[in-house]
């Protein structure tokens, strides 16, 4: 990790002996200031935490640029390893640990279609669109790998702005889709980015697309299995050894360390750490968190949320300071007009690529659910919010751009410098402009009072259309005749064809109660809160 601010603070003896001390201290102080300002602006209609962090970072960068007499705007120099090894794991793990699993898995097929199929569609549109228009704007020098990487970089969304505004209890379907797609989208983008890096462009043939898809499926499936395995092992160890008898600190430490270990194991085996640590979080929340003491369960949720919050704020704060990096601006091969043109083209294809899958896949989802008892459809207003929520680009886009076009945050190539500066512009523009407009748009499309229309007298939203549960009905019984089992299987298959997600979820709950929870832990179903 390099530094820029120490260039003008060498008079301090401590800075001379430990050059990292002052920049880290300054950055932490600014981080604290950012949290205070975010708290004061909590009720503001236009501003959220990510926008606050970017603006504070930009102001800080300006001050440092003036103090250093135009030499540097950086407090710290970005290293993609810092992001992927230290900052990203707590963000993704917390997303899996805090997810409302019931809604997430009820809408699993829709979330996966948005998060996986949508990324492929968006990547194709952005890659071919930029390949077609960049040379017409005089921006040349990018390879085929670069264009495909650009497609994956700008297909990664940042839904934080919208999630801070949506109310999970008032619009559970919409919140579940936006939240779930955001996590799966990031994981898919990184997996696809890594798959693109393995393409041998010197020997392209008709099998190349299948090889990319095969690599993607391999990374996706093995990463998911690894995350599930680590989560189950953690739950089993906590249930068997019961650390809480002697020390609640140990059981909390085991959860934190095993979560981080899952991510590092995935990186060690060249898998997707994002997917692994996400599903590890889901499994720990479902099983392991019930094998610790009540105080550890509450503490763990707050600790994971705090780590995620600090990491996200850190990243956006850095994006604000990096916007004023004069070195990259001077190195860039594009003029100011050319930079605005290229960034405008990227933003336009981001809008188009997002619309190309959100609206068609929403219509397809509604069509597939037309015969089910579930009456929650994705309305056009919901579709607009889902489309808008995915327009903002954030931390993953920045990290992938640095990984593709820089070496440890530094590049001397004019074309690569141009792409880094354009990525920064797109992230700033989409986060600030679209982020500023998110809260008014959501409040206009979903008035706060109207969101209570489907709520009962108790204040809890009812589950429309959920299939009736028969918790005592077995899948097959050896105590009954073959014809009875055959008829039951026939009814189950019919239900599966009509309501695939609800049916799978129903039988999973039975399997979970009978086999999984006794081994890995968890509350009895009748005592379990909605998760």
């Amino acid at each position: 990790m390099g530094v820029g601010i120490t260039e003008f603070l060498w008079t301090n003896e401590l800075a001379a002996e430990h050059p990292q001390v002052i920049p880290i201290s300054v950055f932490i102080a600014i981080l604290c200031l950012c949290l205070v300002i975010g708290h004061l602006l909590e009720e503001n209609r236009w501003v959220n935490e990510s926008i606050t962090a970017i603006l504070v970072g930009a102001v800080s960068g300006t001050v440092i640029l003036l103090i250093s007499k135009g030499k540097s705007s950086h407090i710290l120099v970005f290293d993609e390893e810092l992001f992927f090894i230290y900052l990203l794991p707590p963000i993704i793990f917390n997303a899996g640990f805090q997810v409302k699993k019931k809604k997430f898995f009820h809408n699993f097929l829709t979330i996966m279609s948005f998060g996986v199929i949508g990324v492929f569609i968006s990547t194709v549109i952005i890659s071919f669109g930029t390949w077609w228009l960049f040379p017409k704007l005089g921006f040349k020098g990018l390879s085929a790998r670069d264009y495909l990487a650009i497609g994956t970089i700008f297909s990664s969304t940042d839904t934080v702005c919208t999630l801070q505004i949506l109310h999970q209890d008032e619009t559970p379907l919409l919140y579940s889709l936006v939240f779930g797609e955001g996590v799966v989208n990031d994981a898919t983008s990184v997996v696809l980015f890594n798959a693109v890096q393995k393409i041998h462009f010197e020997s392209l043939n008709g099998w190349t697309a299948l090889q990319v898809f095969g690599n993607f499926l391999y990374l996706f499936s093995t990463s998911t299995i690894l995350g599930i395995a680590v989560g189950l092992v953690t739950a089993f160890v906590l249930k068997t050894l019961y650390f809480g008898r002697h020390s609640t600190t140990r059981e909390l430490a085991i959860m934190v360390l095993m979560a981080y270990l899952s991510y590092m194991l995935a990186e060690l085996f060249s898998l997707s750490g994002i997917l692994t640590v996400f599903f590890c979080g889901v499994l720990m929340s479902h099983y392991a968190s019930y094998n610790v003491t009540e105080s550890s369960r509450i503490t763990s949720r707050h600790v994971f949320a705090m780590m995620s919050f600090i990491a996200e704020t850190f990243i956006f704060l850095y994006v604000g300071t990096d916007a004023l990096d004069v070195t990259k601006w001077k190195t860039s091969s594009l003029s100011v007009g050319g930079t605005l043109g290229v960034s405008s083209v990227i933003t336009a294809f981001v809008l188009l690529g997002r619309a190309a899958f959100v609206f068609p896949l929403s219509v397809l989802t509604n069509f597939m659910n037309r015969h089910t008892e579930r009456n929650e459809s994705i309305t056009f207003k919901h579709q607009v919010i889902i489309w808008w929520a995915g327009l903002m680009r954030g931390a993953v886009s920045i990290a992938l751009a640095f990984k593709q076009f820089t070496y440890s945050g530094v590049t001397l190539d004019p074309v690569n410098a141009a792409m880094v500066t354009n990525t920064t512009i797109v992230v700033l523009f989409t986060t600030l402009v679209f982020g500023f407009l998110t809260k008014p748009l959501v409040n206009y499309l979903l008035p706060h009072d109207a969101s209570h229309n489907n709520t009962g007298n108790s204040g809890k939203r009812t589950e429309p259309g959920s299939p009736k549960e028969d918790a005592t009905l077995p899948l097959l019984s050896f105590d009954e005749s073959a014809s009875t089992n055959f008829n039951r299987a026939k009814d189950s298959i019919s239900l599966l064809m009509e309501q695939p997600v609800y049916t799978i979820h129903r039988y999973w709950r039975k399997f979970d109660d009978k086999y999984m929870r006794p081994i890995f832990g968890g509350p009895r179903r009748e005592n379990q809160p909605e998760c």
Side-chain angles (χ1 to χ4, degrees), residues 80 84 142-150 152-153 193-194 196-197 201 397-407 411 416 419-420:
E80 62 269 16
F84 283 105
L142 294 172
S143 64
R145 189 190 308 277
D146 290 332
Y147 281 114
L148 287 176
I150 289 170
T152 61
I153 288 169
F193 178 88
N194 292 332
V196 166
Q197 305 306 312
F201 286 91
S397 294
I398 287 288
L400 293 180
F402 271 79
K403 191 171 185 179
Q404 178 71 20
F405 299 108
T406 72
Y407 179 76
T411 179
N416 289 343
M419 274 311 306
V420 173

Side-chain angles (χ1 to χ4, degrees), residues 101 239 284-291 297 509 512-514 516-518 520-531:
K101 295 178 289 295
K239 186 175 188 297
M284 280 196 187
S285 173
H286 191 61
Y287 297 115
S289 63
Y290 293 101
N291 298 330
R297 189 179 310 144
R509 288 179 62 178
D512 189 32
D513 285 337
K514 188 171 183 180
M516 300 295 288
R517 290 181 183 273
F520 300 106
R524 295 174 60 88
R525 180 64 64 184
E526 60 267 19
N527 297 328
Q528 183 186 2
E530 182 180 342
C531 58

